[in-house]
Amino acid sequence: MVNKSLNVLVTGAGGGMCKGINARLAAQGHHVICVDLDLERSQAAAQEVISNGGTATAFAADVTDESAISALRQEIERTIGQVQVLVNAAGILDRKYLADSDGDSFRRAIDINLVGPFLLIKEFAGPMTANGWGRIVNIASIAGTTGYPYPSYAASKAGLANLTRSLLEDFWGTGITVNNICPGVVDTPMVIDEVRAQVRRRVPTQNIIQPEEIGAMVNFLISDDARNINGTDMLIDGGATKLFSLFNNHEG
Ligand SMILES: NC(=O)c1ccc[n+]([C@@H]2O[C@H](COP(=O)([O-])OP(=O)(O)OC[C@H]3O[C@@H](n4cnc5c(N)ncnc54)[C@H](O)[C@@H]3O)[C@@H](O)[C@H]2O)c1
């Protein structure tokens, strides 16, 4: 199945991390269906893939809009064919501590980071089940595996990770696998300079992760080699969340 070109839908396709995801998918010969909030962002992402010799198509959709997602599936099936792989990468990081948050800001993060992937999965899992094969990759975060200062982000990503595990029952025997990628600090516009400056002292590998590394992990998860990897968290954080140390010998 995976040796042939697949139709891969990527949400948040115009974002920093998706630059690497789109490029790696296209290099593998897959057709990248770029979905982002506005058409210009999606088109720019698709154009970049095409300029580098790949194939891609652009669509605009808000991942929180159930009817827009339904219309998106119909339009993709009419113009391209069925989606075999779904990568949920659209997301927001609202840098608000509890005191600065309110119900609306909290709900917005949950809506985009958790309800969005749920709606996409619900819409696209049907055809995957009918085909007897599908791959779903959710971009969660290390912020969902540990506590994190911004509660809406942490809660939404923890929710996404557990949504993933909970779908194993639904997808039992369907040929669909569903996994999380939990990145640490990735070199995208989402990451502010103060965080980048901390990487040398907080991350054992001392590297900021490149978007292409996330793309490589997506490619692996949709490959035949990963056909028995299901319901798991693929952690890519340079070891940052695996070490608790009361010493900091890495200042300066
Ligand atoms: N950058 C990091 O260090 C990092 C680490 C862990 C996880 N993540 C996650 O990776 C994913 C990609 O992050 P990024 O760094 O590329 O961020 P980014 O801000 O560069 O890209 C996010 C994209 O999502 C799109 N988007 C936002 N709301 C949307 C909506 N309602 N509908 C459709 N599209 C929408 C934006 O337009 C944007 O293109 C996010 O889910 C993020 O939470 C990022």
Side-chain angles (χ1 to χ4, degrees), residues 197-202 206 245-252:
Q198 291 293 321
V199 165
R200 264 196 92 250
R201 290 188 289 168
R202 307 283 175 208
Q206 299 189 310
S245 174
L246 292 174
F247 303 101
N248 192 342
N249 298 320
H250 314 291
E251 298 292 338

Side-chain angles (χ1 to χ4, degrees), residues 8-36 41-50 52 54-57 87 89 211-212 214-216 218-219:
V8 184
L9 190 164
V10 181
T11 71
M17 192 182 293
C18 286
K19 268 185 179 295
I21 296 175
N22 301 340
R24 292 298 288 254
L25 288 167
Q28 201 66 33
H30 302 311
H31 183 79
V32 188
I33 301 167
C34 299
V35 176
D36 209 301
R41 278 184 88 82
S42 312
Q43 280 173 334
Q47 197 45 56
E48 192 171 326
V49 167
I50 292 164
N52 289 316
T55 69
T57 318
V87 181
E212 291 70 21
I214 310 297
V218 172
N219 258 339

Side-chain angles (χ1 to χ4, degrees), residues 12 14-18 36-37 41 61-64 89-92 112 139-141 153 157 183-186 188-191:
M17 192 182 293
C18 286
D36 209 301
L37 260 186
R41 278 184 88 82
D62 181 339
V63 297
T64 68
I92 58 158
I112 295 171
I139 308 297
S141 169
Y153 190 70
K157 292 298 187 179
V185 182
V186 186
T188 81
M190 187 180 267
V191 177

Side-chain angles (χ1 to χ4, degrees), residues 86-134:
L86 168 63
V87 181
N88 280 308
I92 58 158
L93 169 54
D94 194 7
R95 291 186 181 80
K96 285 194 174 74
Y97 293 94
L98 180 64
D100 311 315
S101 308
D102 56 27
D104 283 344
S105 64
F106 195 85
R107 268 189 290 271
R108 184 161 174 269
I110 299 287
D111 223 21
I112 295 171
N113 296 353
L114 176 56
V115 180
F118 165 79
L119 294 176
L120 268 293
I121 291 168
K122 193 160 164 50
E123 190 65 39
F124 287 93
M128 290 180 190
T129 302
N131 284 340
W133 195 93

